[in-house]
Amino acid sequence: MRTDARRHHDPEVRGFASDNYAGTHPEILAALALADGGHQVSYGEDDYTAHLQFVMRSHFGPHAQAFPVFNGTGSNVVALQALTDRWGAVICAESAHINVDECGAPERVGGLKLLTVPTEDGKLTPELIDRQAWGWDDEHRAMPQVVSIAQNTELGTVYTVDEIRAICDHAHERGMKVHLDGARIANAAASLDVPMRAFTNAAGVDILSFGGTKNGMLFGEAVVVLDPDAVGAMKHLRKLSMQLASKMRFISVQLEALLARDLWLRNARHANTMAQRLADGVRAVDGVEILHPVQANAVFARLPHEVSERLQKRYRFYFWDEAAGDVRWMCSFDTTEEDVDGFITALKEEMGR
C-alpha cells in the first residue's frame, strides 16, 4: 500500500452542489505560503491578525473589530452569543441557515432561542419581525434581543440597502440588535454593485459573520464587531465556543489576501455571472421552472424528480425539497462557461428522454 501523498480526485471535475466544493484560489494559496516560516505569536497575537484589523476597517469602518474563527457555524454562534443574555432569543427567517443547517448549534451551543418567521423569499421585513417581536416583560417567553438576517439569503435573494436599513432602524427602536450572516456577503455586494459597508455598518448592522470559505479561502471566517458598544467579551466567547485558532495567522492572512485588494469582488462577480448564465440557459428548457429571483450565485429550480436523479449521475447537486422536486444549483469562483454550458446540454438531454 502506498503511504505517500497523492491526488485522489480529478481536478477537472466540477459540479453545482455547493460553493464549498470548490478548491482554494491560487492567490490565497500564495498568501498562506507567504505567512509560513519562522515563529509568530499564537492565538491571534501575530502580525497578520494585527494587520487584518486595518484591512477590515477599510471595508467596515473605523470601529470594526475582526475576530477570525474556523467556520461559519462557529462564527454565527459566537456572534449571536455576544448579543444575547441567557434568556435571550433571536428572530430569523424560517429558512435561515442558523435554523435549518447548523444542527441546532445556535440553540444547543449558544444557549439561545430562535424565533422563526415564514417568508416567501427568505427575507425579513419590519412587519414580519413584529410577528415575533413582543413579550419582552413576559417571563414565560424567551426575550427577543436580536434580529438575524442573511445577505444573501438561504434562497439566493439579496436585500437592498434600504431594506436592511429599515430592518436595523426597526430593531433598534425596539431595543434589539442586528446580526448579519454574511457567508456569501461578497456575492451580495457584487449583485448590488455597492461596497459591503453600504449594507452593514452604514445601514446599522451591529455584528457580522464574514464568510470567506465559499469565496475562495481554504478555511476560516471572521466575526466582525461593527458596534463595539453593542457587545463585550468577544475573546472569551470565541474561546468558549472552541473557535480560537492557535495558528491564527493562517486564517488572518487568507482574509487579508481576499480583502486587501479586489479578490473578494472578482470571485463573487464571476460566480454570480455564471449563475445568471445558468439561469438564462435553464429558462429555455421546457418543463423546468426557476423558483426564486437569481440575484447572486444560486439557482433554485423545479423539474421532474426522475430527471434530477439521472442528472445527478452526471453532475453533483442537491435536492432542496425532494418531495416537490426542487433543486439548488450553486456556482463558484472556479465555475467555467464550459461547465455551465455542459450542464445545460445535459439537462436538455435528460429532459428529452
Side-chain angles (χ1 to χ4, degrees):
M1 178 182 294
R2 291 183 59 180
T3 58
D4 55 315
R6 55 195 175 97
R7 174 165 278 161
H8 296 280
H9 79 292
D10 183 350
E12 297 303 316
V13 173
R14 287 175 292 272
F16 295 87
S18 173
D19 34 14
N20 282 324
Y21 277 41
T24 307
H25 193 281
E27 292 180 35
I28 299 292
L29 289 174
L32 283 164
L34 185 70
D36 200 16
H39 285 202
Q40 279 276 285
V41 183
S42 58
Y43 299 111
E45 298 299 321
D46 59 274
D47 294 337
Y48 295 91
T49 303
H51 185 69
L52 175 63
Q53 305 305 320
F54 296 101
V55 175
M56 280 291 186
R57 287 167 189 158
S58 71
H59 289 278
F60 299 109
H63 303 297
Q65 299 174 357
F67 297 84
V69 295
F70 287 114
N71 54 49
T73 297
S75 179
N76 286 334
V77 169
V78 171
L80 293 175
Q81 283 185 97
L83 299 178
T84 52
D85 296 311
R86 291 186 61 193
W87 51 89
V90 175
I91 300 172
C92 65
E94 191 174 65
S95 59
H97 196 277
I98 59 174
N99 184 49
V100 300
D101 284 310
E102 295 187 348
C103 197
E107 294 188 326
R108 296 171 67 91
V109 178
L112 51 92
K113 173 66 177 173
L114 296 179
L115 302 174
T116 64
V117 182
T119 69
E120 291 186 2
D121 56 3
K123 295 164 64 173
L124 291 177
T125 64
E127 294 73 23
L128 289 174
I129 289 168
D130 280 346
R131 294 187 183 182
Q132 293 285 11
W134 54 273
W136 286 278
D137 293 326
D138 184 353
E139 66 267 36
H140 301 287
R141 188 172 193 263
M143 182 186 293
Q145 293 183 316
V146 179
V147 173
S148 179
I149 59 176
Q151 178 74 321
N152 40 274
T153 74
E154 197 70 0
L155 300 182
T157 52
V158 175
Y159 287 94
T160 67
V161 174
D162 288 342
E163 286 172 336
I164 292 182
R165 183 178 292 112
I167 286 172
C168 291
D169 290 345
H170 193 75
H172 292 156
E173 287 171 1
R174 283 151 180 75
M176 297 184 293
K177 304 299 183 183
V178 178
H179 162 255
L180 189 143
D181 180 349
R184 297 184 176 97
I185 187 174
N187 300 93
S191 177
L192 294 171
D193 195 25
V194 298
M196 290 182 287
R197 70 175 69 89
F199 56 83
T200 54
N201 57 299
V205 172
D206 296 291
I207 198 166
L208 161 71
S209 298
F210 181 88
T213 307
K214 291 178 170 63
N215 197 30
M217 282 175 48
L218 175 62
F219 66 94
E221 319 281 303
V223 177
V224 185
V225 176
L226 303 176
D227 180 5
D229 294 332
V231 304
M234 275 295 305
K235 289 185 176 181
H236 295 83
L237 286 172
R238 180 173 56 179
K239 177 65 173 180
L240 179 67
S241 301
M242 297 172 284
Q243 289 293 316
L244 179 64
S246 58
K247 297 184 180 181
M248 196 180 297
R249 59 170 151 160
F250 295 109
I251 301 178
S252 297
V253 75
Q254 292 181 76
L255 290 164
E256 178 186 350
L258 194 67
L259 288 168
R261 295 185 180 177
D262 66 346
L263 179 59
W264 66 277
L265 187 56
R266 282 186 281 127
N267 285 353
R269 280 178 174 165
H270 177 80
N272 290 3
T273 299
M274 292 301 99
Q276 288 294 336
R277 185 184 186 93
L278 176 59
D280 290 343
V282 166
R283 286 192 185 95
V285 181
D286 289 338
V288 181
E289 177 188 1
I290 301 293
L291 297 176
H292 304 293
V294 179
Q295 297 176 330
N297 63 323
V299 178
F300 290 81
R302 180 173 295 163
L303 61 156
H305 190 280
E306 63 274 11
V307 172
S308 291
E309 287 188 322
R310 292 197 302 268
L311 193 58
Q312 283 178 324
K313 296 177 181 178
R314 302 172 67 172
Y315 289 88
R316 289 294 299 267
F317 62 89
Y318 291 113
F319 279 101
W320 190 255
D321 182 341
E322 190 163 4
D326 299 351
V327 299
R328 185 192 74 169
W329 299 318
M330 296 297 303
C331 294
S332 309
F333 78 88
D334 62 349
T335 302
T336 67
E337 293 183 354
E338 291 75 18
D339 294 333
V340 172
D341 295 346
F343 181 81
I344 293 169
T345 297
L347 173 62
K348 291 178 179 178
E349 291 172 353
E350 296 302 338
M351 287 293 292
R353 285 179 59 181

